[in-house]
Amino acid sequence: MSKVEGKKKVRRSAVDLLDAGLNLLAEHSIQQLTIDALCKQLCVTKGSFYHHFKGREDYLERMLEHWVNEWTIKSMNSASLAGESAAQRFDAIVEKSHDLPLGPETSIRSWALTDSTAQRYLEKVDLIRMDYLYEIFKEISGSHNRALTLSQISYSLFIGTRMIVPEIEDERHKAIIKLMKSEVYGMSEK
């Protein structure tokens, strides 16, 4: 068996390659996410890459779709199972979103500034996430307008706290969420 960079080649699934791309985006820009970089990272041949994908554009679009399904929809489905009340679902989605790696989403947001495909997927993610929050706040407030405003505030807080450098420490982040829940969102602590 041949070797790449001193490592044995292994078989990788399309999902392995998609996850690797998202992981590479944690530290690099979209321009640095090349077929060569992926193959080197996973110790696979270009033939293996082309077995799963038609080319870089196909790969990037499927990676964005993977990001939507795995990092947004799957997280929401999991949060929905975490509790019956809107406050429990909110707590679960905040916890899940706080655990998401910062780098890939930051890179995707930057990429979307200059690429219409990335922008389309980013818009899709933002709308899905805000709709999820809207449903939570609609249940809590009973008001369409208030739920719409609270979902936009909450999502803006999520995006904003992820963009601040240095990163907000966990305890401070928890204090911010607690304050927002009681003072703005109308969720009492039990």
Side-chain angles (χ1 to χ4, degrees):
M1 185 177 283
S2 63
K3 295 182 180 184
V4 175
E5 300 278 325
K7 297 178 184 177
K8 288 184 179 180
K9 292 181 195 172
V10 294
R11 288 188 180 233
R12 300 289 184 162
S13 69
V15 170
D16 291 334
L17 287 159
L18 296 170
D19 286 335
L22 289 170
N23 289 330
L24 283 171
L25 283 178
E27 298 176 20
H28 304 289
S29 69
I30 190 61
Q31 292 78 15
Q32 294 168 307
L33 179 54
T34 63
I35 296 170
D36 286 335
L38 277 169
C39 292
K40 183 177 178 181
Q41 177 83 16
L42 290 177
C43 299
V44 298
T45 64
K46 285 186 181 180
S48 180
F49 174 88
Y50 286 107
H51 173 74
H52 297 293
F53 306 100
K54 295 175 188 168
R56 186 169 186 265
E57 292 305 312
D58 176 49
Y59 171 79
L60 293 176
E61 184 154 2
R62 287 178 55 192
M63 183 187 69
L64 288 167
E65 186 65 36
H66 181 71
W67 175 62
V68 170
N69 292 326
E70 294 300 312
W71 291 31
T72 297
I73 296 170
K74 191 174 183 179
S75 289
M76 284 184 227
N77 289 341
S78 179
S80 292
L81 298 173
E84 291 185 22
S85 76
Q88 289 170 325
R89 292 191 309 277
F90 180 81
D91 288 343
I93 200 65
V94 166
E95 185 176 322
K96 291 198 171 301
S97 65
H98 189 64
D99 291 341
L100 290 174
L102 177 64
E105 186 156 331
T106 303
S107 288
I108 291 169
R109 288 186 179 283
S110 177
W111 175 22
L113 294 172
T114 59
D115 183 90
S116 61
T117 301
Q119 183 179 29
R120 185 169 30 98
Y121 280 93
L122 180 59
E123 286 175 4
K124 182 177 182 177
V125 162
D126 286 349
L127 288 173
I128 290 169
R129 290 174 178 173
M130 282 193 287
D131 285 348
Y132 186 83
L133 289 168
Y134 169 84
E135 293 301 324
I136 288 172
F137 292 123
K138 178 81 160 89
E139 185 176 322
I140 291 168
S141 71
S143 165
H144 164 74
N145 288 334
R146 182 163 175 80
L148 185 59
T149 300
L150 291 178
S151 66
Q152 291 169 339
I153 290 170
S154 183
Y155 195 59
S156 296
L157 178 65
F158 166 73
I159 298 299
T161 57
R162 295 176 71 77
M163 302 304 283
I164 294 172
V165 176
E167 188 176 343
I168 296 174
E169 296 175 13
D170 282 346
E171 290 306 312
R172 188 73 188 128
H173 185 265
K174 288 176 185 174
I176 292 168
I177 296 298
K178 183 177 180 180
L179 177 74
M180 293 299 289
K181 282 177 65 177
S182 65
E183 300 293 323
V184 178
Y185 303 152
M187 292 183 215
S188 60
E189 293 288 323
K190 293 183 181 177

